[in-house]
Amino acid sequence: PLLRELIRTIRTARTQAEEREMIQKECAAIRSSFREEDNTYRCRNVAKLLYMHMLGYPAHFGQLECLKLIASQKFTDKRIGYLGAMLLLDERQDVHLLMTNCIKNDLNHSTQYVQGLALCTLGCMGSSEMCRDLAGEVEKLLKTSNSYLRKKAALCAVHVIRKVPELMEMFLPATKNLLSEKNHGVLHTSVVLLTEMCERSPDMLSHFRKLVPQLVRILKNLIMSGYSPEHDVSGISDPFLQVRILRLLRILGRSDDDSSEAMNDILAQVATNTETSKNVGNAILYETVLTIMDIKSESGLRVLAINILGRFLLNNDKNIRYVALTSLLKTVQTDHNAVQRHRSTIVDCLKDLDVSIKRRAMELSFALVNGNNIRGMMKELLYFLDSCDPEFKADCASGVFLAFTLKTIWLCPLCHFSFLQAGSYVRDDSVPNLIQLITNSVEMHAYTVQRLYKALLDDISQQPLVQVASWCIGEYGDLLVSGQCEEEEPIQVTEDEVLDVLEGLLVSNLSTPVTRGYSLTAIMKLSTRFSSVNRIKKVVSIYGSSIDVELQQRAVERIMKISLIDVALPLPGGPAPAPAPSVPTSQPTFLLDGISSQPLFNDIAAAGENLFDSLCLLSFLFQVNGANIFEWFILFYSTGIPPMTAYNKNGLKIDFTFERANPNPNIAVITIHASNSTEADMTDFVFQAAVPKTFQLQLLSPSSNVVPALNQGTVTQVIRVLNPQKQQLRMRVKLTYTHKGSAFQDLSEVNNFPPQSWQ
């Protein structure tokens, strides 16, 4: 059947399976015809294949048939052959190289339409090899007097330059007379070619800047000429050519004073004389605005461009409003005052139903906020935050926080309101950012902590608000209790009331683990600001055995600090400590299940001669992330040598602890503790060490060659170093191990040994 009949038949298919069956039958018939070398119907069959290719069915078996049609002497065959080549071939298939000679012959054909087919095909799918071979023919056609061929040759030259940029200079002589052509098609394609050359080469850009007056004359003739039926679109003469010239002027005038000055007048004429009732005119005005903002234009001209964008904001077309907002957002930093004149119109766009327009209006509104308009703008933006969709709340709240830096007096009431309005949609980075703002506003600390404490009494469901409030109470709780606040009437709050609120956050079902961490840390900080230390110790001790590892670690670390502050520990063999005071039965316990009824280090201090046994028991109870902190504690207080970290990289950590050999004090005994914080074991672990010649080193066998993952255990190894001259200890270590199937090896220098280890 003919192509029209095939199309009609396929359109009658009621299901996709039925259509697929029709296509398969037709493809089988076409293959048979190709095998029989039927020249009569080859053109018709390739046309059918192209239609099936457009429907999404495979048509690759027709590629060679396209080449045969291109080699035909009939124009109708060549037309279908070249069309098939553009659709079915590209530079990924080697078969396309077979048509290079055919295209070269057709570029020199006596018929312009055949030459046009060859130019279109080369400009569509020509590879870099084809472009190199045929660039000379394209350059010849670019100089011809035939307007039909010149416009196609110019577009083909654009493709050649994109594929082979080094051939750009070949087309430079032919471009000199392109802009003097009267034919609009040639002018249009010439401007496209010049734009491509200027964008790709700074030398070409400098060379073509001398064409600015000629481009200005062409543009002036277009806007001043009367009605031209051939090129008129909605009453505007050739808007496509105008847009292309404006884009080229934008490239030529960028960062060049002389070129910018030469085009200022024509840009003003285009901006004032272009009809805005049609979309065609708006397209030209938009390109004019972009050109004005991109070149070194006069200030009055830039104000005119921004006013055009302001009028775009009143347009009923949503696309035009969106384009205007996007353009104003790009220019607000350089022309802030001019954009400010349209602030009310921009704020009105926050009420638009279109999501994209609302987002651009929100971003532009925040860019317009300054110290003079913050009251009015914040009122509008907070109203928007209250009523906007959830997808806007996070960005809007973050923008409000950033705006606080302009006028800190607004910080607390606005952040409180924005936190309540944004709720759980507030981004994670907003909490530390707001904490940083509060920290920098020293004069507002009392006011801030009071406002946020009141907010906690009203609502603890908004976790970001609770986290910021907890941090502030921990830092400035003393200001809250003292009632010092000049900004508003102070409130009377006791220490117990503050602790009640923070403890309530720890047990609330609304609190996330992160919020509980903030609250526990705040309670710990208040131990240095409040007198209710015993109550704080009780709360902290409870979380020393929490199933939440983060809370447990914070609590245990704080227990150690509080206890070390309370008690001065005696060294073994020193004077006997004073008897420990009697402790009521209600005293909070610091160990699990009431093992001790006294504070931890009071028990140790009172243990006297049983100090070592007590510490061994506590060492078992306080294993934190695989590090036996009490083992280090014992060694430090028995030797006076602090432990050190010798290596910490890629999850492997090597710690050194020290003791003196008895009876030879010149021998330092170093125990390495290797721990692994990654999720996989480190196997085949080998630790090697070397010291200078003035030292002698003995390396004993390790406890294991596997370092357990997740800090679930350590590998220990003893090093004995003889240092008879009491020189500063230096060591080079070599570590080898296997992790996740890969072998690792590393060398490291250790030069920061504590002086007590070698003196």
Side-chain angles (χ1 to χ4, degrees), residues 422-437:
S424 300
Y425 298 102
V426 173
R427 288 204 304 254
D428 293 339
D429 62 344
S430 298
V431 172
N433 288 342
L434 187 54
I435 288 175
Q436 182 64 41
L437 292 177

Side-chain angles (χ1 to χ4, degrees), residues 18 23 28 31 49 89 184 239 257 280 286-287 329 346 408 452 485 535 545 591-592 610 622-623 635 672 729:
E18 187 177 349
I23 295 292
R31 283 191 177 95
L49 273 182
L89 294 177
H184 280 221
D257 293 331
V280 175
Y286 177 64
E287 289 294 335
L329 190 59
I346 295 169
T408 314
L452 292 177
C485 185
R535 179 177 177 179
S545 57
L591 302 182
L592 304 180
N610 295 322
F622 284 86
Q623 295 283 338
L635 290 172
I672 76 163
L729 185 57

Side-chain angles (χ1 to χ4, degrees), residues 286 309 312-313 318-328:
Y286 177 64
L309 295 177
F312 280 179
L313 294 177
K318 293 182 179 180
N319 294 324
I320 294 178
R321 294 204 300 275
Y322 178 82
V323 164
L325 289 170
T326 304
S327 302
L328 288 172

Side-chain angles (χ1 to χ4, degrees), residues 666-724:
N666 294 330
I667 296 178
V669 180
I670 305 173
T671 303
I672 76 163
H673 306 262
S675 58
N676 171 19
S677 62
T678 67
E679 298 179 353
D681 293 345
M682 294 179 178
T683 59
D684 302 326
F685 174 76
V686 177
F687 175 91
Q688 296 175 293
V691 293
K693 294 181 179 180
T694 55
F695 301 85
Q696 293 183 14
L697 180 143
Q698 181 185 14
L699 190 63
L700 303 185
S701 300
S703 61
S704 173
N705 65 345
V706 178
V707 187
L710 300 174
N711 291 325
Q712 295 300 314
T714 60
V715 173
T716 60
Q717 190 171 2
V718 175
I719 307 173
R720 298 168 62 87
V721 181
L722 176 61
N723 183 11

Side-chain angles (χ1 to χ4, degrees), residues 360-403:
R360 283 289 179 265
M362 179 185 70
E363 295 170 353
L364 184 55
S365 296
F366 280 118
L368 292 176
V369 174
N370 57 30
N372 298 324
N373 61 25
I374 187 171
R375 290 177 179 269
M377 290 296 292
M378 283 297 104
K379 180 179 178 181
E380 296 289 345
L381 288 168
L382 289 174
Y383 176 78
F384 173 73
L385 178 61
D386 182 30
S387 58
C388 68
D389 297 332
E391 61 186 291
F392 291 100
K393 289 186 180 293
D395 292 333
C396 187
S398 300
V400 171
F401 302 149
L402 293 176

Side-chain angles (χ1 to χ4, degrees), residues 6-7 9-11 13-28 30-31 45-63 87-88:
L6 175 65
I7 295 174
T9 303
I10 291 176
R11 287 180 176 177
R14 289 172 293 183
T15 63
Q16 188 175 6
E18 187 177 349
E19 177 186 294
R20 192 159 47 242
E21 183 180 358
M22 293 178 182
I23 295 292
Q24 289 174 352
K25 289 181 179 179
E26 188 63 32
C27 286
I30 292 174
R31 283 191 177 95
N45 289 332
V46 171
K48 293 177 184 178
L49 273 182
L50 296 181
Y51 175 70
M52 289 186 279
H53 172 75
M54 293 168 61
L55 295 179
Y57 293 95
H60 57 277
F61 60 89
Q63 293 174 352
L87 291 177
L88 301 181

Side-chain angles (χ1 to χ4, degrees), residues 7 66-67 79 142 232 256-257 442 445 468 532 555 637 730:
I7 295 174
C66 293
L67 299 182
R79 183 175 58 182
L142 197 58
D232 181 86
D256 187 81
D257 293 331
V442 179
H445 286 171
V468 175
S532 307
Y637 278 99
R730 294 181 290 116

